[in-house]
Amino acid sequence: MESKLNLLVVSDDQVLRQQLQTIAENTEENVLAASTSDAIREMNRETRDIVIMTQPETDIAIDLVQSMKQINRSVLIIFIAERTDFVLLRNMMRAGVDEFFVFPEETSLFTSRFPTTVKNYSITKSSKETESSISFGRGRGQIYSFYSGKGGSGKSVISSVLAQTLKLESTAEVILIDLNGQYGGVESMFSIEANRSLADLLPVIEELNESHIRNVSKTEQHSKLEILVSPIDAEVAETLGEEFVAKLLRTSRRAFDYVIIDLPSSLNGSVITAMEESDKIFYVLTPDTPALRVLKHYEELAGRIGVNLMGKLEVILNFIAKENEVQEKDLKNVLRYPIAATLRKDIKGLQPFVNKGEPVRKVVKERKLIPFAKDIRKFSREILKS
């Protein structure tokens, strides 16, 4: 059975965009339409197999195609031009376009050929997917955000230990980004002396690449995890807006296999942008009634501001113990979202590491792991399987 494909129609002409979407939906179900300005964001949100792109008004077509190819090297791009232009055709083919049509002259040709194009791509994709590979490829890293509307939930500790565990348990390139934006925090988990923060990327954000990120990030000595710390100065943190966060995460996605984000409990434009760019939002929930109330408020607020949580948000239950007023079985009947991981309450085992600023994990095959580290390792292996 052939797998369903995800198609994206990119056009600033609403009439033409609707026409192309209708043609595409006659062949495939999963078709999304977007403007040129939203194209890269949609590519980052979900893997797109085929992109139908019309000629934009501004001269950004080549950059747009190249960016799409960086995100997904196997994407098939069909370019719709306004007129026959052999120079444009040559430049677009060099950029990575697979097929080229001129509208409206070749509308009927495109309509008749499109089903065959989709079928051939689907066969090629299926044959490639049968070849399983343990190694990680560049260009489409996963972004996982850790959030909780309630302070003291343990999200910073969880995100830090998970990032390090992912690095130790695989060959993946992993980066931990602290977006708390006030007084820092993540660096204390690893006793890192950080004289630079992600705010140092602001002057080069327009041409940001992997080298810039690695020049600013700190490398944890045991696991070789890359860490981008938050600026200690709250005023500096406020200068990092939504556009900065979006460009930072998109570049990080192309450079790393896993991008782990520690988010603050407050909701602002930068936090919302990070959530929108994320493949998954892991909401850290403590087993108590106040935490459930905060989660409900977060759901309502996310709905009002347009953040779609269904299919993206998963819950991490933290501080699980027999003496809790709310047990895991009770939460399963209340929560609308899947439970990604259950972490035992392990103050006795975890607190010495936090107090000393020592990483919980140091080597790949560690014999004596505390219960919290064992639960995180189990969680990390589930992520690596997916």
Side-chain angles (χ1 to χ4, degrees):
M1 183 179 176
E2 294 180 357
S3 60
K4 292 183 178 180
L5 302 177
N6 283 329
L7 278 63
L8 179 64
V9 177
V10 179
S11 178
D12 294 323
D13 185 325
Q14 292 185 2
V15 175
L16 184 54
R17 185 167 64 198
Q18 182 60 52
Q19 180 186 2
L20 291 168
Q21 186 174 0
T22 302
I23 295 172
E25 286 175 343
N26 288 331
T27 304
E28 283 290 326
E29 297 177 3
N30 302 327
V31 181
L32 180 72
S35 63
T36 302
S37 59
D38 292 333
I40 298 302
R41 173 171 288 190
E42 295 301 336
M43 287 285 292
N44 277 315
R45 281 180 177 175
E46 188 175 356
T47 302
R48 303 292 169 183
D49 300 295
I50 298 175
V51 174
I52 306 170
M53 187 177 85
T54 65
Q55 186 173 344
E57 294 181 3
T58 53
D59 190 21
I60 59 168
I62 292 176
D63 290 338
L64 195 57
V65 169
Q66 290 175 339
S67 296
M68 289 178 179
K69 285 290 185 179
Q70 284 182 318
I71 295 170
N72 180 13
R73 285 177 293 180
S74 61
V75 65
L76 186 146
I77 300 178
I78 303 172
F79 189 79
I80 309 296
E82 298 173 349
R83 62 187 182 279
T84 303
D85 186 334
F86 293 106
V87 175
L88 177 64
L89 170 62
R90 182 189 61 196
N91 292 337
M92 296 311 298
M93 288 298 183
R94 285 178 176 175
V97 165
D98 298 277
E99 295 193 25
F100 190 100
F101 294 89
V102 178
F103 270 39
E105 291 91 332
E106 297 179 338
T107 303
S108 57
L109 177 63
F110 170 80
T111 305
S112 61
R113 189 183 294 179
F114 185 71
T116 305
T117 301
V118 172
K119 184 177 180 181
N120 290 339
Y121 181 91
S122 182
I123 294 171
T124 303
K125 182 186 176 186
S126 298
S127 64
K128 288 181 179 179
E129 287 178 347
T130 56
E131 302 173 4
S132 59
S133 174
I134 300 175
S135 62
F136 293 85
R138 290 301 188 87
R140 182 60 198 181
Q142 298 293 299
I143 299 178
Y144 296 148
S145 288
F146 286 76
Y147 178 78
S148 179
K150 181 174 177 288
S153 64
K155 63 176 177 58
S156 294
V157 176
I158 294 170
S159 58
S160 300
V161 178
L162 175 70
Q164 192 190 31
T165 304
L166 284 171
K167 185 63 181 172
L168 288 170
E169 295 284 329
S170 72
T171 60
E173 291 292 331
V174 186
I175 186 169
L176 172 63
I177 301 178
D178 183 2
L179 284 181
N180 274 294
Q182 189 174 6
Y183 311 128
V186 160
E187 69 272 17
S188 63
M189 291 290 301
F190 304 100
S191 291
I192 293 176
E193 294 294 330
N195 55 0
R196 306 188 75 184
S197 72
L198 55 87
D200 290 290
L201 295 172
L202 193 56
V204 295
I205 194 63
E206 294 301 329
E207 61 269 6
L208 187 66
N209 58 38
E210 182 180 353
S211 297
H212 294 135
I213 293 175
R214 289 187 183 273
N215 285 338
V216 173
S217 66
K218 287 287 184 178
T219 305
E220 198 278 314
Q221 61 175 332
H222 300 287
S223 63
K224 306 307 177 185
L225 166 72
E226 295 295 328
I227 302 171
L228 261 181
V229 302
S230 179
I232 295 176
D233 191 334
E235 291 185 7
V236 174
E238 290 178 0
T239 64
L240 310 177
E242 300 169 28
E243 188 176 352
F244 173 87
V245 171
K247 289 180 179 179
L248 171 63
L249 296 184
R250 290 170 189 175
T251 305
S252 298
R253 185 196 289 278
R254 292 197 292 269
F256 296 87
D257 300 302
Y258 293 103
V259 181
I260 309 299
I261 309 172
D262 181 26
L263 293 174
S265 296
S266 59
L267 275 179
N268 54 36
S270 297
V271 174
I272 293 167
T273 298
M275 289 180 176
E276 289 177 339
E277 296 289 337
S278 299
D279 296 282
K280 284 188 184 297
I281 302 169
F282 290 113
Y283 190 100
V284 181
L285 181 70
T286 54
D288 54 69
T289 305
L292 286 170
R293 289 200 196 99
V294 173
L295 173 57
K296 185 178 180 181
H297 292 319
Y298 167 63
E299 282 185 88
E300 294 172 352
L301 181 57
R304 290 201 299 270
I305 61 180
V307 177
N308 184 18
L309 299 179
M310 299 309 296
K312 177 179 282 194
L313 188 139
E314 296 185 14
V315 173
I316 296 175
L317 299 180
N318 197 21
F319 301 134
I320 295 298
K322 291 181 180 179
E323 65 269 19
N324 292 339
E325 63 164 307
V326 181
Q327 294 296 320
E328 182 181 353
K329 61 181 180 180
D330 303 320
L331 291 170
K332 285 182 177 179
N333 298 325
V334 175
L335 296 175
R336 298 171 55 199
Y337 309 99
I339 297 175
T342 301
L343 308 178
R344 287 170 283 181
K345 189 175 183 179
D346 187 22
I347 296 176
K348 184 179 179 181
L350 187 60
Q351 199 63 47
F353 290 97
V354 176
N355 292 342
K356 296 177 184 178
E358 290 185 2
V360 176
R361 294 286 305 274
K362 292 183 179 179
V363 295
V364 178
K365 295 181 179 180
E366 208 156 350
R367 291 184 179 180
K368 294 183 179 181
L369 287 177
I370 61 174
F372 176 80
K374 288 180 180 178
D375 293 341
I376 291 289
R377 182 177 63 181
K378 180 181 178 183
F379 180 32
S380 70
R381 287 177 176 176
E382 290 298 319
I383 289 176
L384 291 169
K385 285 179 185 177
S386 61

